[in-house]
């Protein structure tokens, strides 16, 4: 009996460790926030990993091998639905049990939902409005950090959300619907003594909204907070700057085509886990409104022929952009066909210059490459590399990333790794880079983030990952000649996973 108990306990802790390893920094921050009403804030503040949160929950008897529902609820709340199966739950099963067993309060749910809908631009505006309440020299916080601070200062409680109403009403009235739902469910009335003054917010925001809250806004704080006659001066100063910050037009009848080349079966190897990447890319880019086409196991000649075919597609003229994803083995500045022959990445991209493909002239063209860019072969358990086996890797001259994209404008090349290095692929879960890319697109596109901001977060996510041996890391690298911000239209449907 004792051995059985030890076995159950070991398997349970094994489950928790596996779940923890699949949660990134943003997920851990979300879990901490959702647990504030259950655990002491002082203990949560020092937490660095999901495993530490699980340990605190077990110490307070909220979580054990016999009852894992709270963890299932937390994973459901942060939309990590794929991890539910590791606990024996499905999304539908959690939804069914929530009314009876849910532990996260409606108040905490409301705050978290608000944070998920606050874009970076909104956050800068809110930070500006709340500057008198923020510690001096505080770097722009995350929405969750900001909400936690307001709670600490007593400006925000489950019975007093007036400060949220004032801020949201000024910055983004659409967010008021989230607060209204909470208030109606709770059934309380507005407080008479408002802790924040909406009129002050509105006066400040008429300036901030116009300026789009650039990073240089702090330099003009004195102007912004002085007499109203200065508004005309500020407006004139920033007019030309704002014109330069326009985004690519994405309002055409169709978003664009996305082609995926998924090379799995080579003469002497298989890229296990690549189908997971391809499926996830299909789901995410379909959700983003693109017409997705997938091609499996192409030789070097097949890849070039495919580029030539798409180069001459007339329907590009009705599309806003073009995206190409390549999943294969690779070497410096090149990818392998399934015949073990290299194709230069520059050969791929130059098919779509304005001269070669006039239908895509002045439109953004995005290429995402999941492939090694060097020959360092590593074989840790459950981690494979997207490089060729040694006998397939002749001496190959290094190619600077800048030479892989055309010199003309409107190209972006997202590489899974820097030149000369391997990129890692889990043989079940897929590659680090593609999974992080898909995750960040789903999280940040609904917040209105541009592609370069998204890729910066992808870099951070992948850079924090470590192989099972604890010694191997990876750093993605983008290169681009984009002239404007590239922002996907926000889909009406929820993210696919």
């Amino acid at each position: 009996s004792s051995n059985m108990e030890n076995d159950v306990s070991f398997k349970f802790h094994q489950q928790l460790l596996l779940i923890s390893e699949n949660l990134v920094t943003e997920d851990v921050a979300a879990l901490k926030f959702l647990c504030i009403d259950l655990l002491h804030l002082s203990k949560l503040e020092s937490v660095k990993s999901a495993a530490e949160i699980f340990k605190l929950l077990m110490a307070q008897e909220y979580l054990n091998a016999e009852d894992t529902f709270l963890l299932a609820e937390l994973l459901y709340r942060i939309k990590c639905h794929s991890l539910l199966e590791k606990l024996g739950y499905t999304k539908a099963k959690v939804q069914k049990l929530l009314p009876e067993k849910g532990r996260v309060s409606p108040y905490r749910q409301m705050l978290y939902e608000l944070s998920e809908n606050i874009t970076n631009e909104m956050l800068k505006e809110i930070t500006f409005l709340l500057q008198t309440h923020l510690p001096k020299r505080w770097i722009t916080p995350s929405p969750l950090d900001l909400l936690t601070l307001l709670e600490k200062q007593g400006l925000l409680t489950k019975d007093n959300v007036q400060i949220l109403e004032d801020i949201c009403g000024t910055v983004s009235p659409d967010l008021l619907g989230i607060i209204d739902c909470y208030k109606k469910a709770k059934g309380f009335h507005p407080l008479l003594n408002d802790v924040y003054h909406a009129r002050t917010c509105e006066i400040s925001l008429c300036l901030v909204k116009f300026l789009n809250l650039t990073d240089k806004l702090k330099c003009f704080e004195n102007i912004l907070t002085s007499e109203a006659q200065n508004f005309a001066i500020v407006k004139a100063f920033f007019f030309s700057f704002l014109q330069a910050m326009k985004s690519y037009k994405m309002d055409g009848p169709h978003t664009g085509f996305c082609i995926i080349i998924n090379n799995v079966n080579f003469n002497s190897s298989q890229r296990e886990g690549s189908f997971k990447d391809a499926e996830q890319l299909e789901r995410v880019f379909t959700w983003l409104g693109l017409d997705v086409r997938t091609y499996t196991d192409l030789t070097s000649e097949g890849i070039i022929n495919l580029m030539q075919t798409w180069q001459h597609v007339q329907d590009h003229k009705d599309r806003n952009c073009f995206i190409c994803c390549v999943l294969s083995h690779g070497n410096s500045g090149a990818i392998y066909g399934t015949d073990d022959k290299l194709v230069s990445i520059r050969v791929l991209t130059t098919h779509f210059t304005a001269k070669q493909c006039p239908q895509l002239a002045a439109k953004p063209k995005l290429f995402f490459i999941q492939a090694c860019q060097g020959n360092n072969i590593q074989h840790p358990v459950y981690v494979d590399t997207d490089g060729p086996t040694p006998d397939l890797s002749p001496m190959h001259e290094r190619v600077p990333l800048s030479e892989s994209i055309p010199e003309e404008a409107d190209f972006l090349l997202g590489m899974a790794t820097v030149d000369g290095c391997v990129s890692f692929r889990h043989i079940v879960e897929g590659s680090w880079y593609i999974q992080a890319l898909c995750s960040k697109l789903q999280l940040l596109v609904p917040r209105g983030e541009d592609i370069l901001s998204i890729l910066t977060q992808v870099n951070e996510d992948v850079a924090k990952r470590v192989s099972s041996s604890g010694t191997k890391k990876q750093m993605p690298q983008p290169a681009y000649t984009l002239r404007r911000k590239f922002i996907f239209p926000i889909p009406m449907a929820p993210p696919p996973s």
Side-chain angles (χ1 to χ4, degrees), residues 433 454-464 475-478:
Y433 176 65
I454 292 172
L455 289 179
T456 300
Q457 295 217 25
V458 170
N459 280 10
E460 181 184 20
D461 190 353
V462 175
K464 287 179 179 176
M475 187 68 226
Q477 183 181 16

Side-chain angles (χ1 to χ4, degrees), residues 199-237:
R199 177 162 164 69
T200 304
C201 289
E202 289 165 6
I203 293 171
S204 299
L205 241 292
C206 73
L207 293 167
V208 176
K209 280 281 188 185
F210 181 82
L211 294 173
N212 201 23
L213 220 81
T214 71
D215 291 336
K216 299 188 182 298
L217 181 61
K218 194 74 178 175
C219 304
F220 297 92
E221 196 171 288
N222 292 335
I223 299 177
L224 291 174
T225 53
S226 62
E227 298 298 324
Q229 66 226 29
N230 288 319
F231 177 67
I233 302 170
V234 177
K235 185 168 68 173
F237 181 89

